[in-house]
Amino acid sequence: MNEAEPITVACLDLAGTTVADGDTVECAFAEAIATLGIVSGTASYGRALARFRDARGGSKIGIFRSLFDEPRARAAHLAFERSYHDLIDRRGLTPVPGADDALARLRGAGVRVCLLTGFGRGTQARVLDALGWWDRADLTLCPEDVPRGRPWPDLVLTAALRLGVDDVRHIAVCGDTAGDMLCGRRSGASIVAGVLTGAHDDDRLLAAGATHILPSVAALPDLILRTPANAEHG
């Protein structure tokens, strides 16, 4: 990576990266597959959960399609969204500590922010509503906006097109999963930062192509804004 490349766009994941997730997503997944008769303690449950954990960061409907035929996948995805929305209502949502300030610092320095997710559009909207974050980003994207979700590069490349990026090396990607890292590397982003607040550990993130490992998204502005070109414009 050339540290002199100016970063003009930062693509940040939601759950586990900027939004404190805990076990909310996994709980919603377990409740969703239970509606299809797949319950804790069974071999089929163990296989489904392992697949879900491995594919974290990817399109949720895509994960269900990898497990079930199309009608059952759609039913499970609908159940997942309902469960996740209910969990948001009951538990609430909070940002990862320092995430709000990180978004403000990046945008204050002229870096445009895109919030990415593997959730469907309705769930992404519920998350942004719960946090009051609609004004924290220049763009929000979900799998419904692209031909392919993560780990393919489509989300980041779509952000580049919509935000008028001159060079993909001017993009930074930040996420908590191997899928986020693969998406970032395949897009050509010069910074692909893995954070340790979510689904996958540092070994998994590095194996998937992370250029940096950060304790949390709170450290991202220092990484991005320390480059000479960004320092001049910050």
Short mmCIF file of all heavy atoms in Angstrom, two decimals, residues 133-161:
data_model
loop_
_atom_site.label_atom_id
_atom_site.label_comp_id
_atom_site.label_asym_id
_atom_site.label_seq_id
_atom_site.Cartn_x
_atom_site.Cartn_y
_atom_site.Cartn_z
N TRP A 133 -28.74 8.05 12.67
CA TRP A 133 -27.51 8.18 11.90
C TRP A 133 -27.71 8.56 10.43
O TRP A 133 -26.77 8.50 9.65
CB TRP A 133 -26.72 6.87 11.96
CG TRP A 133 -25.72 6.84 13.08
CD1 TRP A 133 -25.63 7.69 14.15
CD2 TRP A 133 -24.67 5.88 13.23
NE1 TRP A 133 -24.59 7.32 14.95
CE2 TRP A 133 -23.98 6.22 14.43
CE3 TRP A 133 -24.25 4.78 12.51
CZ2 TRP A 133 -22.89 5.49 14.89
CZ3 TRP A 133 -23.17 4.04 12.96
CH2 TRP A 133 -22.49 4.39 14.14
N TRP A 134 -28.88 8.94 10.04
CA TRP A 134 -29.08 9.26 8.63
C TRP A 134 -28.19 10.41 8.16
O TRP A 134 -27.82 10.48 6.98
CB TRP A 134 -30.55 9.60 8.35
CG TRP A 134 -31.43 8.39 8.36
CD1 TRP A 134 -32.30 8.02 9.34
CD2 TRP A 134 -31.51 7.37 7.35
NE1 TRP A 134 -32.92 6.83 9.00
CE2 TRP A 134 -32.47 6.41 7.78
CE3 TRP A 134 -30.88 7.18 6.12
CZ2 TRP A 134 -32.79 5.28 7.03
CZ3 TRP A 134 -31.22 6.06 5.37
CH2 TRP A 134 -32.16 5.12 5.82
N ASP A 135 -27.84 11.30 9.08
CA ASP A 135 -26.99 12.44 8.69
C ASP A 135 -25.51 12.18 8.94
O ASP A 135 -24.69 13.08 8.80
CB ASP A 135 -27.43 13.71 9.43
CG ASP A 135 -27.25 13.60 10.94
OD1 ASP A 135 -27.02 12.47 11.44
OD2 ASP A 135 -27.35 14.63 11.63
N ARG A 136 -25.15 10.95 9.29
CA ARG A 136 -23.75 10.63 9.56
C ARG A 136 -23.00 10.16 8.32
O ARG A 136 -21.78 10.01 8.36
CB ARG A 136 -23.64 9.53 10.63
CG ARG A 136 -24.19 9.87 12.00
CD ARG A 136 -23.44 11.01 12.66
NE ARG A 136 -23.74 11.08 14.07
CZ ARG A 136 -24.81 11.67 14.61
NH1 ARG A 136 -25.69 12.25 13.79
NH2 ARG A 136 -25.00 11.70 15.90
N ALA A 137 -23.72 9.89 7.24
CA ALA A 137 -23.09 9.33 6.05
C ALA A 137 -23.51 10.09 4.80
O ALA A 137 -24.59 10.67 4.74
CB ALA A 137 -23.45 7.85 5.91
N ASP A 138 -22.63 10.06 3.81
CA ASP A 138 -22.94 10.64 2.50
C ASP A 138 -23.71 9.65 1.62
O ASP A 138 -24.36 10.06 0.66
CB ASP A 138 -21.63 11.03 1.80
CG ASP A 138 -20.85 12.06 2.61
OD1 ASP A 138 -21.19 13.25 2.51
OD2 ASP A 138 -19.93 11.66 3.35
N LEU A 139 -23.61 8.36 1.96
CA LEU A 139 -24.25 7.32 1.16
C LEU A 139 -24.44 6.09 2.04
O LEU A 139 -23.61 5.80 2.91
CB LEU A 139 -23.36 6.97 -0.04
CG LEU A 139 -23.85 5.89 -1.00
CD1 LEU A 139 -25.10 6.35 -1.76
CD2 LEU A 139 -22.72 5.53 -1.99
N THR A 140 -25.54 5.37 1.84
CA THR A 140 -25.74 4.07 2.48
C THR A 140 -26.07 3.05 1.39
O THR A 140 -26.81 3.35 0.46
CB THR A 140 -26.88 4.11 3.52
OG1 THR A 140 -28.12 4.43 2.86
CG2 THR A 140 -26.60 5.14 4.60
N LEU A 141 -25.50 1.86 1.51
CA LEU A 141 -25.71 0.81 0.52
C LEU A 141 -25.97 -0.52 1.21
O LEU A 141 -25.41 -0.80 2.27
CB LEU A 141 -24.50 0.67 -0.40
CG LEU A 141 -24.18 1.83 -1.35
CD1 LEU A 141 -22.85 1.58 -2.05
CD2 LEU A 141 -25.29 2.02 -2.37
N CYS A 142 -26.79 -1.35 0.57
CA CYS A 142 -27.09 -2.69 1.06
C CYS A 142 -27.08 -3.65 -0.13
O CYS A 142 -26.96 -3.22 -1.28
CB CYS A 142 -28.43 -2.70 1.78
SG CYS A 142 -29.85 -2.49 0.68
N PRO A 143 -27.21 -4.95 0.11
CA PRO A 143 -27.14 -5.90 -1.01
C PRO A 143 -28.18 -5.67 -2.10
O PRO A 143 -27.94 -6.05 -3.26
CB PRO A 143 -27.36 -7.26 -0.32
CG PRO A 143 -26.81 -7.06 1.05
CD PRO A 143 -27.18 -5.64 1.42
N GLU A 144 -29.30 -5.05 -1.77
CA GLU A 144 -30.32 -4.80 -2.79
C GLU A 144 -29.88 -3.73 -3.80
O GLU A 144 -30.51 -3.58 -4.86
CB GLU A 144 -31.62 -4.36 -2.11
CG GLU A 144 -32.26 -5.47 -1.28
CD GLU A 144 -33.31 -4.95 -0.32
OE1 GLU A 144 -34.22 -4.24 -0.77
OE2 GLU A 144 -33.21 -5.25 0.89
N ASP A 145 -28.80 -3.03 -3.49
CA ASP A 145 -28.31 -1.97 -4.38
C ASP A 145 -27.30 -2.46 -5.40
O ASP A 145 -26.87 -1.69 -6.26
CB ASP A 145 -27.67 -0.85 -3.55
CG ASP A 145 -28.65 -0.16 -2.63
OD1 ASP A 145 -29.73 0.22 -3.11
OD2 ASP A 145 -28.35 -0.01 -1.43
N VAL A 146 -26.89 -3.73 -5.30
CA VAL A 146 -25.79 -4.24 -6.14
C VAL A 146 -26.12 -5.62 -6.68
O VAL A 146 -26.96 -6.32 -6.13
CB VAL A 146 -24.48 -4.30 -5.33
CG1 VAL A 146 -24.00 -2.90 -4.97
CG2 VAL A 146 -24.64 -5.16 -4.08
N PRO A 147 -25.43 -6.03 -7.76
CA PRO A 147 -25.67 -7.38 -8.28
C PRO A 147 -25.25 -8.47 -7.30
O PRO A 147 -25.89 -9.51 -7.20
CB PRO A 147 -24.81 -7.43 -9.55
CG PRO A 147 -24.64 -6.00 -9.95
CD PRO A 147 -24.57 -5.24 -8.65
N ARG A 148 -24.13 -8.23 -6.58
CA ARG A 148 -23.60 -9.24 -5.66
C ARG A 148 -23.20 -8.56 -4.35
O ARG A 148 -22.61 -7.49 -4.35
CB ARG A 148 -22.37 -9.92 -6.25
CG ARG A 148 -22.60 -10.61 -7.58
CD ARG A 148 -21.28 -11.05 -8.20
NE ARG A 148 -20.39 -9.91 -8.45
CZ ARG A 148 -19.17 -10.01 -8.94
NH1 ARG A 148 -18.68 -11.21 -9.23
NH2 ARG A 148 -18.43 -8.94 -9.14
N GLY A 149 -23.51 -9.22 -3.24
CA GLY A 149 -23.08 -8.72 -1.94
C GLY A 149 -21.66 -9.13 -1.63
O GLY A 149 -20.96 -9.73 -2.46
N ARG A 150 -21.20 -8.81 -0.42
CA ARG A 150 -19.86 -9.24 0.00
C ARG A 150 -19.83 -10.77 0.07
O ARG A 150 -20.84 -11.39 0.36
CB ARG A 150 -19.55 -8.62 1.37
CG ARG A 150 -19.46 -7.11 1.31
CD ARG A 150 -19.19 -6.45 2.64
NE ARG A 150 -20.26 -6.65 3.61
CZ ARG A 150 -20.58 -5.77 4.57
NH1 ARG A 150 -19.94 -4.63 4.66
NH2 ARG A 150 -21.53 -6.04 5.43
N PRO A 151 -18.68 -11.39 -0.24
CA PRO A 151 -17.33 -10.81 -0.34
C PRO A 151 -16.96 -10.23 -1.70
O PRO A 151 -15.81 -9.87 -1.91
CB PRO A 151 -16.44 -12.01 -0.03
CG PRO A 151 -17.19 -13.17 -0.61
CD PRO A 151 -18.64 -12.87 -0.33
N TRP A 152 -17.90 -10.14 -2.63
CA TRP A 152 -17.61 -9.53 -3.93
C TRP A 152 -17.43 -8.02 -3.75
O TRP A 152 -17.92 -7.44 -2.78
CB TRP A 152 -18.72 -9.85 -4.93
CG TRP A 152 -19.01 -11.32 -4.98
CD1 TRP A 152 -20.14 -11.95 -4.57
CD2 TRP A 152 -18.11 -12.35 -5.41
NE1 TRP A 152 -20.02 -13.31 -4.73
CE2 TRP A 152 -18.78 -13.59 -5.24
CE3 TRP A 152 -16.82 -12.35 -5.93
CZ2 TRP A 152 -18.20 -14.81 -5.57
CZ3 TRP A 152 -16.23 -13.57 -6.26
CH2 TRP A 152 -16.92 -14.77 -6.09
N PRO A 153 -16.76 -7.35 -4.67
CA PRO A 153 -16.42 -5.94 -4.50
C PRO A 153 -17.52 -4.95 -4.86
O PRO A 153 -17.32 -3.74 -4.77
CB PRO A 153 -15.22 -5.76 -5.44
CG PRO A 153 -15.49 -6.72 -6.55
CD PRO A 153 -16.11 -7.93 -5.88
N ASP A 154 -18.70 -5.44 -5.23
CA ASP A 154 -19.73 -4.59 -5.82
C ASP A 154 -20.15 -3.42 -4.93
O ASP A 154 -20.38 -2.30 -5.43
CB ASP A 154 -20.95 -5.41 -6.20
CG ASP A 154 -20.63 -6.54 -7.17
OD1 ASP A 154 -19.51 -7.07 -7.13
OD2 ASP A 154 -21.51 -6.90 -7.97
N LEU A 155 -20.30 -3.65 -3.63
CA LEU A 155 -20.73 -2.57 -2.73
C LEU A 155 -19.73 -1.42 -2.74
O LEU A 155 -20.12 -0.24 -2.85
CB LEU A 155 -20.92 -3.09 -1.31
CG LEU A 155 -22.22 -3.85 -1.02
CD1 LEU A 155 -22.12 -4.57 0.31
CD2 LEU A 155 -23.41 -2.90 -1.01
N VAL A 156 -18.46 -1.74 -2.61
CA VAL A 156 -17.44 -0.69 -2.58
C VAL A 156 -17.31 -0.01 -3.94
O VAL A 156 -17.19 1.23 -4.02
CB VAL A 156 -16.08 -1.26 -2.12
CG1 VAL A 156 -14.98 -0.20 -2.23
CG2 VAL A 156 -16.18 -1.75 -0.68
N LEU A 157 -17.36 -0.77 -5.01
CA LEU A 157 -17.25 -0.17 -6.34
C LEU A 157 -18.47 0.70 -6.66
O LEU A 157 -18.34 1.74 -7.32
CB LEU A 157 -17.08 -1.26 -7.39
CG LEU A 157 -15.76 -2.05 -7.30
CD1 LEU A 157 -15.73 -3.15 -8.35
CD2 LEU A 157 -14.55 -1.13 -7.45
N THR A 158 -19.64 0.30 -6.17
CA THR A 158 -20.82 1.14 -6.35
C THR A 158 -20.69 2.44 -5.58
O THR A 158 -21.05 3.52 -6.08
CB THR A 158 -22.09 0.38 -5.91
OG1 THR A 158 -22.24 -0.77 -6.74
CG2 THR A 158 -23.34 1.25 -6.03
N ALA A 159 -20.14 2.36 -4.38
CA ALA A 159 -19.86 3.58 -3.61
C ALA A 159 -18.90 4.48 -4.37
O ALA A 159 -19.08 5.71 -4.42
CB ALA A 159 -19.29 3.22 -2.24
N ALA A 160 -17.88 3.88 -4.98
CA ALA A 160 -16.91 4.67 -5.75
C ALA A 160 -17.58 5.40 -6.90
O ALA A 160 -17.32 6.58 -7.15
CB ALA A 160 -15.80 3.75 -6.27
N LEU A 161 -18.46 4.70 -7.59
CA LEU A 161 -19.16 5.32 -8.73
C LEU A 161 -20.10 6.43 -8.26
O LEU A 161 -20.13 7.52 -8.84
CB LEU A 161 -19.95 4.25 -9.49
CG LEU A 161 -19.10 3.26 -10.30
CD1 LEU A 161 -19.97 2.11 -10.79
CD2 LEU A 161 -18.43 3.95 -11.47
#
